[in-house]
Every structure is written in C-alpha cells, then in structure tokens.
Amino acid sequence: MKNLILLEYFTSKSSVNVNKDKEIFREALNLTDSIIKNFIKSDRINCINVIRNKNLEIIKSNKVKAQHTNLKTSYTHILNRFKNKNEVLLIAPETKNLFLKLHSSIPKRFTVLNSNLNILKTLSSKKKTIKTLEKLGFPVVKYLDSNSCYKGDVIIKPDFGAGSEQTFIVKNENYLKCQNQIHQKFYKGKKGSFLMLCKNGRGKVICCNEQIIKLDSKKIRQVGCIMGGLEKYRNEIESLANNLCEKFKDLFGIVGVDIVREKKKWLILEINCRFTSAYCGLNKSYSSSTIKEITNFYITKNITDFTPKFIKEYEYIF
C-alpha cells in the first residue's frame, strides 16, 4: 500500500489571502482536489498526506490526512516530521522560478515524483526551452531578439511564467524589449496542448486538447480548453511527443506541452513538467480507465501499454 505526500505551492503557504488571489487559489484547489479524488479511488493507495494551509478546506476521506501549515508551521516543518523515506508529488508554477525553488527545497531523503532538477533548469525558462528545442531540430515558435525587424503582431510574456499570466499581444515596434520577457510572433492558427506520461525516454499521450483563448484589449489569456478537441491530430501529436521523450529522458510523470498550428505543422510553445489544469477535465472527456492509468503510474512508476480511451469533447473552463 502506497503513502504519498501532495505539496502544492500556493495552497501550502503559511499565510494565504484567498480574496486577493481568487483565481490562483481556485485553479490550485481544483487541480489538487482532482488529483486527490482520483488517487483515493485506488485500492493501492493507503494515505495521501496533503500539505495545506489551515484556512483552506480539504477533502474528507479515510485516505486523506491533512498536514496543516500556519504562521508558525511551514511546509518544511511538516516535511521534517517524516523521518522515513517518503514520496512527494509537487505542483507549482514556473512563475519566478517557483517550481525549481520548491523542488530544490525538498530534503534528499524524499523521492520527488516529478522531473528532476536538471531538466527543470532548462524547461522552466521559455527562452532556454526554445533554444534547446531548436538545437535538437524540433519545430518551435522562435523568439524575437532585440535586433528583430518583424513588424507584425507579437506576443509578450515572462520568461519564467505559467499559463497566460502577463501575456500581451502588441505590434512589434510598440514595446520596449526587456531581458525578463520573451517575445514571439503571434500565429493565428489553432492553439492546443497535450498531456503525456513520461519516464526514461518513453511517453504516452493522454489527451489532445484545443485551447480556448480570450483576447481582452491587448491582454491574451487561456480561459479553458476543449478536452479532446485535437484528437483528430493524435498521430501527429504522438509523433512529436515520442520525439520529445526520446530527447529528454529526464522527463517524469505528467508533462504538459503547449502547441500552435502553422502551415499544417505543430510548433512547440512551451513544456510544463507538472500537472496542468487540463487534468481536471479528463473525467468528462476520457474513460475512467485512462485516469486510473495515471494514478497507477505514480504508484508503480511504470508506463503500461494502455490506449487512452476518448469518449467525447468537453469544454472545460478554468
């Protein structure tokens, strides 16, 4: 029987202000609660220790044990209570390198159920990701350097960022270039993402989704996704995913990849080495056996030869 620790950055903080950051906490709680609900269905899970602030509700179950943080107790204090070797699943955004910092803070006696630090150092930065992918021959949305003369619409976003936070669309000549930002051509083609399970160079595409994008003045943001909306492109996406896993053998567990369609080809925007919000919509669009295989991976650390079963498209709003 497996015991796990679930540690999500925002909901495990010693002090939280839910009213100030409603959207952030809603997404963080939805994602962690979805993981908990699915994982406790397994008869191979004995207990999930959920590290969460005392002011936030937690799912009630005999398999869920709350480990509360407060002003006097941080997540590190809680981790220090676990004396034996334990497994911990981390969830954190790439924003300001938070995921890398959280991963680095975990004591070495714990087994972290995420991609390792070496690959996070590359993939947490959008610029480093694009540079590395380009060198390996992957189709990417290239970033524009300071000498670019491109005059079309440009996407501006933080180099270390998650989702569509602080993402804007402007004319190339109408902005000041900043080292902490990345600037890319805006492509009008279909936007999408896929989740895959990874280990030791092997991968399995779980779902192929179309992103729902909202443009508000100059700000562009993803507000949801159509689960299974890109299933007709599964063969192309699986080919891309297999190449990624082969070249990045340190990828581990659930990994999300953002893509855009341009001239009948998928270009990679970014790679997120973590659970993403799309996981929350899986149960509406894919079979329970598909979700069960994800849970089993985090128990056995093995990818089986299962085939994800797509049921229907579903519009999931974050």
Side-chain angles (χ1 to χ4, degrees), residues 139-260:
V140 298
V141 177
K142 299 179 180 181
Y143 67 87
L144 304 171
D145 60 30
S146 57
N147 298 318
S148 172
C149 297
Y150 179 69
K151 299 297 182 183
D153 289 339
V154 170
I155 294 291
I156 303 174
K157 53 190 174 184
D159 185 24
F160 294 94
S164 51
E165 64 174 349
Q166 296 299 308
T167 300
F168 301 91
I169 178 170
V170 298
K171 292 294 183 183
N172 190 45
E173 64 268 28
N174 293 340
Y175 70 91
L176 295 174
K177 295 177 175 62
C178 174
Q179 279 190 336
N180 297 323
Q181 295 175 334
I182 182 171
H183 316 106
Q184 296 169 297
K185 292 181 182 179
F186 173 70
Y187 290 103
K188 295 181 179 180
K190 198 180 293 287
K191 280 79 176 173
S193 64
F194 61 90
L195 288 181
M196 59 181 180
L197 272 178
C198 311
K199 185 187 177 185
N200 294 340
R202 188 181 175 205
K204 175 75 69 173
V205 173
I206 301 297
C207 58
C208 308
N209 313 313
E210 182 176 353
Q211 293 182 346
I212 302 173
I213 303 296
K214 183 177 180 180
L215 184 60
D216 184 10
S217 185
K218 292 181 179 180
K219 186 169 177 58
I220 186 169
R221 63 192 182 100
Q222 183 186 0
V223 297
C225 57
I226 300 173
M227 301 297 301
L230 298 184
E231 277 295 327
K232 67 179 180 180
Y233 301 103
R234 176 171 277 271
N235 288 341
E236 295 176 39
I237 289 172
E238 286 183 335
S239 177
L240 183 60
N242 289 336
N243 287 336
L244 282 171
C245 290
E246 184 180 336
K247 294 294 192 299
F248 296 92
K249 290 182 170 59
D250 287 335
L251 288 173
F252 180 91
I254 283 285
V255 173
V257 182
D258 289 348
I259 51 179
V260 61

Side-chain angles (χ1 to χ4, degrees), residues 14 109 111 121 136 160 169 191 227 283 286 298 305:
S14 295
R109 67 178 182 277
T111 298
K121 288 175 182 177
L136 294 171
F160 294 94
I169 178 170
K191 280 79 176 173
M227 301 297 301
N283 64 330
Y286 292 82
Y298 284 94
D305 291 326

